[in-house]
Amino acid sequence: MRPVATIHEPLLAWYDGAARVLPWRARPGERADPYRVWLSEVMLQQTTVAHATPYFLAFTRRWPNVTALARAAEAEVMAAWAGLGYYARARNLIACAKVVADGHGGRFPDTETGLRQLPGIGAYTAAAIAAIAFDRPAAVMDANVERVLARLAAVETPLPAAKRVLAELAGALTPAARAGDWAQAMMDLGAMICRPRDPLCDRCPLADHCRAHALGDPVRFPYRAAKAQRPRRHGIAYLAVCKGAVVLERRPSTGLLGGMLGLPTTDWRAEPFTVTEALALAPFAAEWRTAGHIEHVFTHFALTLEVFEASLARPQAGFQWTPIVEARQVTPSLFAKALRLRPD
């Protein structure tokens, strides 16, 4: 890899002409709205740009600034988040908006240190906001940037152990001027050119600087340690249907899918449930029958959810009944999968 100064010019020149047009971005050379940067970065955690974009547009239409979001009802924000996954992010989003609106006059801190004090903002998000919204020389490290850096320097230490080395390299490369454009240029280079399986080295502005390219095998970088197999858990979901509506319940505010609407379920455990157990744990007496099962993967475990269904002639009192079409829109993808077991 050549000296740092020789890398900045070609990458920023490429970015000036090839930057992705994204709804939360400003044009190259301009600073973005901190609220939009923050919201997009939170949504993009563990989520693709294509999937997050319609949620971002819906959120910013409904809550155009951090103060508006801070004043929103929590249930409305959680419902609008349904389908994005990792629901602790939504709870932190609400908490952070309230702190910024009430404690900072609706203005985000403009340093990494200040941003790290806000709920739900970790090192990566703080660096991204500081660089992109405030042009601070912060080293922004997402998966795309890690891949670019690992190939530029041909880092043979496998991830995640290589993160420290890559972070140091990112810090050394981050320029004092146009730091926000540099961060986004590195992200775009990884997303558009330095792709995981089919890198377009012939189009890369940094090909002449890249050790992995010189070695003739960029795809083998970054090295990755073997992943441990996820443990599996089992649970039962209860799909009670009456006149086109289903029973939903608000999940506890803490834990996975906290605060979200979902189908009634058992706890999730290592051993499968027997039919006898499933019937005994049902939310109310009915003619429950198996409707199938769904598979879902969380960060730390995989879940097999058996679905028991009951059709009722009249709604069971004491429960929240929601039209199936609406239920599919306001519940997390786990329960949306279960609801799709019904054709209507």
Side-chain angles (χ1 to χ4, degrees):
M1 191 171 63
R2 296 183 183 178
V4 169
T6 66
I7 293 178
H8 293 157
E9 184 176 346
L11 182 60
L12 288 171
W14 171 82
Y15 179 71
D16 287 342
R20 288 180 292 177
V21 177
L22 300 171
W24 44 84
R25 272 197 182 169
R27 293 180 297 180
E30 298 179 357
R31 292 189 188 178
D33 178 354
Y35 170 68
R36 297 171 75 86
V37 176
W38 164 70
L39 182 60
S40 68
E41 290 297 339
V42 174
M43 287 185 169
L44 287 168
Q45 294 167 18
Q46 307 293 331
T47 308
T48 65
V49 167
H51 187 58
T53 295
Y55 286 90
F56 176 86
L57 293 173
F59 261 72
T60 50
R61 281 194 300 267
R62 192 168 182 180
W63 303 295
N65 54 57
V66 71
T67 301
L69 183 59
R71 303 293 177 256
E74 180 174 336
E76 292 181 1
V77 177
M78 297 300 289
W81 191 271
L84 269 175
Y86 299 90
Y87 293 94
R89 292 180 297 164
R91 296 194 294 274
N92 284 330
L93 196 78
I94 298 165
C96 184
K98 291 182 183 298
V99 171
V100 173
D102 299 335
H104 296 271
R107 294 179 178 273
F108 282 84
D110 63 359
T111 65
E112 287 183 84
T113 300
L115 289 162
R116 286 291 301 272
Q117 305 306 309
L118 299 176
I121 294 188
Y124 166 77
T125 304
I129 299 170
I132 297 168
F134 300 109
D135 214 30
R136 300 286 190 184
V140 183
M141 293 287 293
D142 69 358
N144 284 321
V145 176
E146 287 180 347
R147 184 169 60 256
V148 171
L149 293 171
R151 289 174 177 174
L152 276 173
V155 175
E156 296 191 359
T157 303
L159 288 169
K163 286 182 179 289
R164 181 184 61 80
V165 174
L166 296 176
E168 291 175 355
L169 181 58
L173 289 177
T174 300
R178 296 191 68 184
D181 285 345
W182 173 263
Q184 293 172 108
M186 290 288 282
M187 294 177 192
D188 281 8
L189 188 69
M192 301 164 62
I193 303 294
C194 195
R195 305 181 304 190
R197 293 181 179 83
D198 299 301
L200 304 176
C201 297
D202 58 328
R203 304 183 193 177
C204 180
L206 300 184
D208 291 342
H209 306 263
C210 180
R211 290 179 180 170
H213 177 60
L215 292 171
D217 190 14
V219 175
R220 70 184 171 100
F221 298 94
Y223 288 96
R224 294 188 181 276
K227 288 186 178 180
Q229 187 174 3
R230 285 186 179 91
R232 179 165 296 278
R233 297 182 187 173
H234 300 265
I236 308 294
Y238 298 94
L239 179 54
V241 183
C242 180
K243 299 177 182 178
V246 297
V247 168
L248 297 182
E249 63 180 15
R250 182 76 59 185
R251 295 179 63 81
S253 59
T254 58
L256 278 173
L257 310 181
M260 301 298 297
L261 284 171
L263 298 174
T265 73
T266 62
D267 292 336
W268 302 339
R269 69 187 194 189
E271 303 82 18
F273 288 78
T274 66
V275 173
T276 300
E277 287 178 309
L279 295 177
L281 293 168
F284 51 81
E287 294 185 8
W288 297 99
R289 57 191 177 277
T290 57
H293 75 278
I294 59 170
E295 303 290 340
H296 196 79
V297 177
F298 292 98
T299 304
H300 300 297
F301 67 92
L303 175 67
T304 297
L305 198 62
E306 300 287 342
V307 181
F308 276 64
E309 180 184 39
S311 297
L312 282 67
R314 65 178 65 88
Q316 179 76 19
F319 291 88
Q320 177 178 339
W321 291 87
T322 304
I324 291 178
V325 173
E326 180 182 341
R328 289 172 177 151
Q329 296 173 344
V330 300
T331 55
S333 56
L334 169 68
F335 298 114
K337 287 180 183 179
L339 288 164
R340 284 197 291 271
L341 291 176
R342 287 190 60 86
D344 51 348

